Amino acid sequence: MDDIEIEAVEETTLSDPVLIEGLPGVGNVGKLAVEHLLEEFEDATLVKRVYADCFPPQVTIEDGTAELTHVELHAVETPGEGPDLLLLTGDHQAQSNEGHYHLTDVFLDIAEEFGVERLFALGGVPTGELVDEPAVLGAVANESQVETLEDAGVEFRDDEPAGGIVGVSGLLLGMGSRRGLDAACLMGETSGYLVDPHSAQVVIEVLQELLSFEVGFEALEERADEMKEVAQKIQEMQQQQSLPSDDDLRYIG
Amino acid sequence: MDDIEIEAVEETTLSDPVLIEGLPGVGNVGKLAVEHLLEEFEDATLVKRVYADCFPPQVTIEDGTAELTHVELHAVETPGEGPDLLLLTGDHQAQSNEGHYHLTDVFLDIAEEFGVERLFALGGVPTGELVDEPAVLGAVANESQVETLEDAGVEFRDDEPAGGIVGVSGLLLGMGSRRGLDAACLMGETSGYLVDPHSAQVVIEVLQELLSFEVGFEALEERADEMKEVAQKIQEMQQQQSLPSDDDLRYIG
Amino acid sequence: MDDIEIEAVEETTLSDPVLIEGLPGVGNVGKLAVEHLLEEFEDATLVKRVYADCFPPQVTIEDGTAELTHVELHAVETPGEGPDLLLLTGDHQAQSNEGHYHLTDVFLDIAEEFGVERLFALGGVPTGELVDEPAVLGAVANESQVETLEDAGVEFRDDEPAGGIVGVSGLLLGMGSRRGLDAACLMGETSGYLVDPHSAQVVIEVLQELLSFEVGFEALEERADEMKEVAQKIQEMQQQQSLPSDDDLRYIG
Amino acid sequence: MDDIEIEAVEETTLSDPVLIEGLPGVGNVGKLAVEHLLEEFEDATLVKRVYADCFPPQVTIEDGTAELTHVELHAVETPGEGPDLLLLTGDHQAQSNEGHYHLTDVFLDIAEEFGVERLFALGGVPTGELVDEPAVLGAVANESQVETLEDAGVEFRDDEPAGGIVGVSGLLLGMGSRRGLDAACLMGETSGYLVDPHSAQVVIEVLQELLSFEVGFEALEERADEMKEVAQKIQEMQQQQSLPSDDDLRYIG
């Protein structure tokens, strides 16, 4: 077996597609955002699955059947004038340094095959506390990219995120830029304790502005309301006694 | 040396063989089950040994002599009308992500050489407490596989096991299915604290139903009685004072 | 992608160049020293970037833009009679054993391409306490190298550093020597708690003696004064109560 | 660079040589034994150095100069009628599973080049307490090897060592046997807390019996006396207060 294996599920042609990545991460902001887009764009077509020996060696049981760990790419021919989309998501990140690098390299190869010249890696930036009105922070490789993003509501703060951006999102930005792609990270502020559908929504709103598409937000808003209640309960618990364990808090949802 | 090395011990032909895997895991259910079958099928023939640099770098001392870590495949020409069996077992799992993937790939290569089109990966699913009448839970890749297994007594519970199936068992299911094999996991409920010969027996009883073979259970039942006594002693200890250490509990047997 | 990738930024020819390495380490002595030389030699030219899958999989945000983890080599045509310099620095070391070895091998390949026959790996040796007048300790592969270095003020102490020299500095010494290069480690004594600009200065002063160049030290002296204040504050804190956490102490600056 | 690199230092021919391995391990019994043989056989010739990227990435400072981590093979043309010896020792073991396997494979390749057909891997087996008259335990791959070793004073105990033999010693036994070599492990009983020159001596005495050579033991006996004093001091400390830390105990010497 090859270390990384691409399964071609369907062939399709996209028009000036933009790659949008949302793998698990802080607050699962990126993952929730891309999964929401997949629900809203009903004509999304699964085009590729990527399997790799750097993924956790396991199957996930969902809807009664087992699937080997993998990442999926879906093609969306958007109605309207905006670019088509190539959506990348999955349940796991690589489990090793080298794995992150080589997987990202493969994602970029696939993207370039589809004619992608622009990409957005989505994620969350942890603030340590609940945020009512999360900003969307941006990171780019070239100053020339900043203006367009600021016009769409992205905030750039000096030397933030501190500690850089780790994992596939950071590598898509860094390695994508080195390949000459217009690559950017968009990161919704989030507490870091809970999955954050509201932060995912704010990130999508920025993307809508940049890429001229439009989706509904009902499903995300419902989940955001549920999370508000969970957050309230946790605050009450914190006031009463000892903090819930990290396990109670971590990505409830 | 190759990273994974197959030693051909004996040549043999099998008729419509089914691969049955039982490597160490939760409650050692799978391992106990396959080892029991090897005792019961006296004409089982050792056909392959598999060595790998992802195994623990050690020799095991048994019956006075040392053996390099390896996994064994035994061929069983079953009396009666049921399919032949290819039994896979060993004392260790791979020690790395990548190792699990590449070893499973080799196991499937060997299985396909023997004409295997169907496989069962055996294991345990931990319940956290002693179970008198363990169910056998199933996991498959396709819904079409469910009915036959349910008829033989396998239970399918939505989204269980939570957290998926990790290790070679999960990968045999996932990678075997991707190769077009009829692959399933059968997992006996077990506490997770002790080796569980009774759970192994229940899993074999399901296999008997599915594969039309018949073995005795005396050896397993004796071990199960021993484990009952151990379990009782532990319950008394727990009631008296602090829990025994994890080392005392783990796989006593 | 290759495991290690060299990006050629600019071509240049150097005259009898000496490689000077300063990657992150104890007290960041080596890194501060090489970064200081890069500031002082204004005509330094970035000639190579080295990317690798053994680096942390991340981008660093600096001056508003993101850069993929890498190491840089800068060429300096020194005024005066001393040899030219090839300066190697970066923000991260390899994250694995094998990575250290293979990266060092690549650094030596690049150095030899430039005609390097002599190298200095710079670092710090931790004393466990603040040192007012740090010595510069030396390590070499051959006794014949000792005299020249002692004449320039380097101290050689039997079997020090205890525990050897770990990481790229040690490997440049060991692997460089095996390639027939004149390789040495210069290590400024430092507490190990704080970044140490003063120790970096003392190391550069030795290099100046050895390589006949001259730089100013104002920037380093300013930073050293800042660090003195920080060190004093820490001593006061230690006297008052419990030690600050390791995080408070570690490389403040 | 290759992952494992053999440096040919000198050519020599040996007559029916026996490989004797003594790398760091429990009580450093094997290492002390082989180092003692190297001191006693003054005509020992360094024939090979082996470097590897699975070794710790460092240089060791000894006698004022730095050496890159490596393992050494020395050839000994023994006076008298016994076989010649190929002695393998070093300061470090591989740092990864895969490293152990591939290094052992290379050691066996080198051994076979020299015409080795028989090998002894030396080590210690920890008893948990100080032993006045340590036995030498044996492990072999084939029952046929037992008698000769028992006649020389080696003890075979059922299923001991429990947990098998981990590291290069175990692999030399397992992988050497698979290559058709007459391979055995000899393990001196030792506390596990301290380096044990006396246990090393007992192991050499067995080897002398088996291989018809003779060496003096003065140096080892001196070290053993020193260790007796250290052991006594530790026993006094243990009686007075809390146990010394593991670090205080570990391989003092």
Side-chain angles (χ1 to χ4, degrees):
Chain A
M1 63 173 278
D2 296 323
D3 287 357
I4 298 179
E5 201 181 300
I6 305 170
E7 182 184 309
V9 181
E10 248 193 79
E11 297 285 325
T12 194
T13 331
L14 293 173
S15 163
D16 286 325
V18 174
L19 173 71
I20 301 180
E21 172 262 324
L23 285 169
V26 177
N28 263 358
V29 171
K31 183 167 188 282
L32 285 170
V34 171
E35 285 180 344
H36 183 75
L37 292 176
L38 283 172
E39 277 172 40
E40 293 290 311
F41 287 116
E42 289 170 329
D43 291 334
T45 311
L46 172 64
V47 287
K48 306 278 187 191
R49 288 194 189 93
V50 180
Y51 300 90
D53 69 356
C54 61
F55 282 137
Q58 59 175 89
V59 291
T60 312
I61 314 290
E62 215 172 278
D63 303 325
T65 55
E67 276 194 333
L68 185 64
T69 308
H70 66 283
V71 149
E72 296 187 343
L73 286 107
H74 299 256
V76 177
E77 295 184 57
T78 52
E81 59 174 26
D84 287 342
L85 304 178
L86 186 61
L87 302 176
L88 185 157
T89 190
D91 291 337
H92 298 275
Q93 291 250 19
Q95 304 290 298
S96 69
N97 269 2
E98 291 77 9
H100 282 300
Y101 275 99
H102 291 269
L103 261 184
T104 305
D105 197 54
V106 164
F107 296 156
L108 290 167
D109 287 342
I110 294 172
E112 289 188 332
E113 266 175 49
F114 276 95
V116 164
E117 293 181 1
R118 193 177 183 196
L119 74 87
F120 292 96
L122 309 182
V125 56
T127 62
E129 56 180 11
L130 299 163
V131 187
D132 281 331
E133 306 210 21
V136 176
L137 303 196
V140 291
N142 303 302
E143 281 241 35
S144 57
Q145 296 169 279
V146 171
E147 190 173 345
T148 313
L149 296 177
E150 280 185 325
D151 290 346
V154 180
E155 277 190 51
F156 285 83
R157 300 184 190 158
D158 272 0
D159 300 327
E160 269 196 58
I165 304 168
V166 183
V168 166
S169 291
L171 293 185
L172 279 169
L173 169 53
M175 294 170 69
S177 302
R178 289 198 63 226
R179 288 186 186 216
L181 302 178
D182 177 350
C185 269
L186 303 179
M187 296 158 290
E189 288 185 306
T190 180
S191 67
Y193 306 147
L194 308 164
V195 293
D196 199 335
H198 182 56
S199 189
Q201 175 170 342
V202 173
V203 169
I204 296 175
E205 285 167 351
V206 162
L207 278 174
Q208 287 189 140
E209 190 72 28
L210 289 164
L211 303 177
S212 306
F213 65 81
E214 213 175 304
V215 293
F217 288 108
E218 205 177 298
L220 270 184
E221 281 162 350
E222 274 174 35
R223 292 201 66 182
D225 290 339
E226 288 170 23
M227 290 315 301
K228 258 194 191 165
E229 287 183 38
V230 170
Q232 262 170 344
K233 283 197 186 124
I234 290 175
Q235 279 184 317
E236 288 161 25
M237 279 170 74
Q238 279 176 304
Q239 280 147 12
Q240 278 170 26
Q241 37 182 283
S242 62
L243 262 136
S245 74
D246 244 35
D247 286 328
D248 294 321
L249 289 176
R250 199 166 190 73
Y251 294 142
I252 296 170
Chain B
M1 64 174 277
D2 296 324
D3 288 356
I4 297 178
E5 202 181 299
I6 305 169
E7 181 183 311
V9 181
E10 249 194 79
E11 297 285 326
T12 193
T13 331
L14 294 173
S15 161
D16 286 324
V18 173
L19 172 71
I20 302 180
E21 172 262 324
L23 286 169
V26 176
N28 263 358
V29 171
K31 184 167 188 280
L32 284 170
V34 171
E35 285 180 346
H36 183 74
L37 292 177
L38 283 173
E39 278 172 40
E40 293 290 311
F41 287 117
E42 289 170 330
D43 291 335
T45 310
L46 172 64
V47 288
K48 306 277 189 192
R49 287 193 190 94
V50 180
Y51 300 91
D53 69 356
C54 61
F55 281 138
Q58 60 175 90
V59 289
T60 312
I61 314 290
E62 216 171 278
D63 304 324
T65 56
E67 274 194 334
L68 184 64
T69 309
H70 66 282
V71 149
E72 297 189 342
L73 286 107
H74 299 255
V76 177
E77 295 183 58
T78 52
E81 61 174 23
D84 287 340
L85 305 177
L86 186 61
L87 301 176
L88 186 156
T89 189
D91 291 336
H92 298 275
Q93 291 250 18
Q95 304 291 297
S96 69
N97 268 3
E98 291 78 10
H100 283 299
Y101 274 100
H102 291 270
L103 260 184
T104 304
D105 197 54
V106 163
F107 296 155
L108 289 167
D109 286 345
I110 294 173
E112 289 187 333
E113 267 175 47
F114 277 94
V116 163
E117 294 181 0
R118 193 177 183 196
L119 74 88
F120 291 96
L122 309 182
V125 56
T127 62
E129 56 179 13
L130 298 165
V131 187
D132 282 330
E133 305 211 20
V136 176
L137 302 196
V140 292
N142 303 301
E143 281 241 37
S144 58
Q145 297 169 276
V146 172
E147 191 176 342
T148 313
L149 296 177
E150 281 184 324
D151 289 347
V154 179
E155 275 189 52
F156 285 83
R157 299 182 192 160
D158 272 0
D159 300 327
E160 268 197 57
I165 303 167
V166 181
V168 166
S169 292
L171 293 185
L172 279 169
L173 169 52
M175 293 170 71
S177 302
R178 289 197 64 227
R179 288 185 187 217
L181 302 179
D182 177 350
C185 268
L186 303 179
M187 296 158 288
E189 286 185 308
T190 179
S191 68
Y193 305 148
L194 307 164
V195 293
D196 199 336
H198 181 56
S199 189
Q201 176 169 341
V202 174
V203 169
I204 297 176
E205 285 167 352
V206 163
L207 278 175
Q208 287 190 141
E209 190 71 29
L210 289 164
L211 304 177
S212 306
F213 66 82
E214 212 177 303
V215 292
F217 288 108
E218 204 178 300
L220 270 184
E221 281 162 350
E222 273 174 35
R223 293 201 67 184
D225 289 338
E226 288 170 21
M227 291 315 300
K228 257 194 192 164
E229 287 182 37
V230 171
Q232 262 171 343
K233 284 199 186 125
I234 289 175
Q235 279 183 320
E236 288 160 28
M237 281 171 73
Q238 277 175 307
Q239 279 148 10
Q240 279 169 23
Q241 35 181 288
S242 63
L243 264 136
S245 75
D246 246 34
D247 286 327
D248 295 319
L249 289 175
R250 200 167 189 73
Y251 296 143
I252 295 170
Chain C
M1 63 173 277
D2 295 324
D3 289 355
I4 298 178
E5 201 180 301
I6 305 170
E7 181 184 311
V9 180
E10 247 194 81
E11 296 286 327
T12 193
T13 332
L14 294 172
S15 162
D16 286 325
V18 173
L19 173 71
I20 301 181
E21 171 263 325
L23 286 169
V26 176
N28 263 357
V29 172
K31 183 166 189 281
L32 285 170
V34 171
E35 286 180 344
H36 183 75
L37 292 177
L38 282 172
E39 278 173 40
E40 294 289 312
F41 287 117
E42 289 169 331
D43 292 334
T45 311
L46 172 64
V47 287
K48 307 276 188 190
R49 288 193 188 94
V50 179
Y51 300 89
D53 69 356
C54 61
F55 282 137
Q58 60 174 91
V59 290
T60 313
I61 314 291
E62 215 172 278
D63 304 325
T65 56
E67 275 195 333
L68 184 65
T69 309
H70 66 283
V71 149
E72 296 187 344
L73 286 107
H74 300 254
V76 177
E77 296 183 56
T78 53
E81 57 176 26
D84 287 341
L85 305 177
L86 187 62
L87 302 176
L88 185 156
T89 190
D91 291 336
H92 297 276
Q93 292 250 19
Q95 304 291 298
S96 69
N97 268 3
E98 291 77 9
H100 282 298
Y101 275 99
H102 291 269
L103 260 184
T104 304
D105 197 56
V106 165
F107 297 154
L108 290 168
D109 287 343
I110 294 172
E112 289 189 331
E113 268 174 48
F114 277 95
V116 164
E117 293 181 0
R118 191 176 185 197
L119 74 86
F120 292 95
L122 309 183
V125 55
T127 63
E129 56 179 13
L130 299 165
V131 188
D132 280 332
E133 306 211 20
V136 176
L137 303 197
V140 291
N142 303 302
E143 281 240 36
S144 56
Q145 296 169 279
V146 171
E147 189 174 345
T148 312
L149 295 177
E150 280 185 326
D151 290 347
V154 178
E155 277 190 52
F156 285 84
R157 299 182 190 160
D158 272 358
D159 299 328
E160 268 196 60
I165 303 168
V166 182
V168 166
S169 291
L171 293 185
L172 280 169
L173 169 52
M175 293 169 72
S177 302
R178 289 198 63 229
R179 288 187 187 216
L181 302 178
D182 178 349
C185 270
L186 303 179
M187 294 156 291
E189 287 185 309
T190 180
S191 67
Y193 305 148
L194 307 164
V195 292
D196 199 336
H198 181 55
S199 190
Q201 176 170 341
V202 173
V203 169
I204 297 175
E205 285 167 353
V206 162
L207 278 174
Q208 284 189 143
E209 190 73 27
L210 288 164
L211 303 178
S212 305
F213 65 82
E214 212 175 305
V215 293
F217 288 108
E218 203 176 301
L220 269 183
E221 280 163 349
E222 274 175 33
R223 293 200 66 184
D225 289 339
E226 287 169 23
M227 290 315 300
K228 256 194 193 165
E229 288 184 37
V230 170
Q232 263 172 343
K233 285 200 184 123
I234 289 173
Q235 279 184 318
E236 288 162 25
M237 279 168 76
Q238 277 175 305
Q239 280 149 9
Q240 279 168 25
Q241 37 183 285
S242 63
L243 262 137
S245 75
D246 246 33
D247 286 328
D248 294 320
L249 289 177
R250 199 166 190 73
Y251 295 144
I252 297 171
Chain D
M1 64 174 277
D2 296 323
D3 288 357
I4 299 178
E5 202 181 300
I6 305 169
E7 182 183 309
V9 180
E10 248 194 78
E11 297 285 328
T12 193
T13 331
L14 294 172
S15 162
D16 286 324
V18 172
L19 173 70
I20 302 181
E21 172 263 324
L23 285 169
V26 176
N28 262 359
V29 172
K31 183 168 189 281
L32 284 170
V34 171
E35 284 179 346
H36 183 74
L37 292 177
L38 283 173
E39 278 173 38
E40 293 289 312
F41 287 116
E42 290 169 330
D43 291 334
T45 310
L46 171 65
V47 287
K48 307 277 188 192
R49 288 194 190 94
V50 180
Y51 299 90
D53 68 355
C54 61
F55 281 138
Q58 60 174 90
V59 290
T60 313
I61 313 291
E62 217 172 277
D63 303 326
T65 55
E67 275 194 334
L68 184 65
T69 308
H70 66 283
V71 149
E72 297 187 342
L73 287 107
H74 300 255
V76 177
E77 296 183 57
T78 53
E81 58 174 27
D84 287 341
L85 305 176
L86 187 62
L87 302 176
L88 186 156
T89 190
D91 290 336
H92 297 275
Q93 291 251 20
Q95 303 291 298
S96 69
N97 269 2
E98 290 78 8
H100 283 299
Y101 275 99
H102 291 269
L103 260 184
T104 304
D105 196 56
V106 163
F107 297 154
L108 290 167
D109 286 344
I110 294 172
E112 290 189 332
E113 267 175 49
F114 276 96
V116 163
E117 294 181 359
R118 192 177 183 196
L119 74 87
F120 291 95
L122 309 182
V125 55
T127 62
E129 57 181 13
L130 299 164
V131 187
D132 282 331
E133 305 210 20
V136 176
L137 303 196
V140 291
N142 303 302
E143 281 240 36
S144 58
Q145 296 168 276
V146 172
E147 189 175 345
T148 312
L149 295 177
E150 280 185 325
D151 288 347
V154 179
E155 276 189 53
F156 285 83
R157 299 182 190 159
D158 272 0
D159 300 327
E160 268 197 58
I165 303 168
V166 182
V168 165
S169 291
L171 293 185
L172 279 169
L173 169 51
M175 293 170 72
S177 302
R178 290 196 63 226
R179 289 186 187 216
L181 302 178
D182 178 349
C185 269
L186 303 179
M187 295 156 290
E189 287 185 308
T190 180
S191 67
Y193 305 148
L194 307 164
V195 292
D196 198 336
H198 181 54
S199 190
Q201 176 170 342
V202 174
V203 169
I204 297 175
E205 285 167 351
V206 161
L207 278 174
Q208 285 190 143
E209 190 71 28
L210 288 164
L211 303 177
S212 307
F213 65 82
E214 212 176 305
V215 293
F217 287 108
E218 204 178 299
L220 270 183
E221 281 161 351
E222 273 174 35
R223 293 201 64 183
D225 289 338
E226 287 170 22
M227 290 314 300
K228 256 192 192 166
E229 287 183 37
V230 170
Q232 263 171 341
K233 285 199 185 126
I234 289 174
Q235 279 182 319
E236 287 161 25
M237 280 170 72
Q238 278 176 306
Q239 279 147 10
Q240 279 170 25
Q241 34 182 288
S242 63
L243 264 135
S245 75
D246 245 34
D247 285 328
D248 294 320
L249 291 175
R250 199 164 191 74
Y251 296 144
I252 296 170

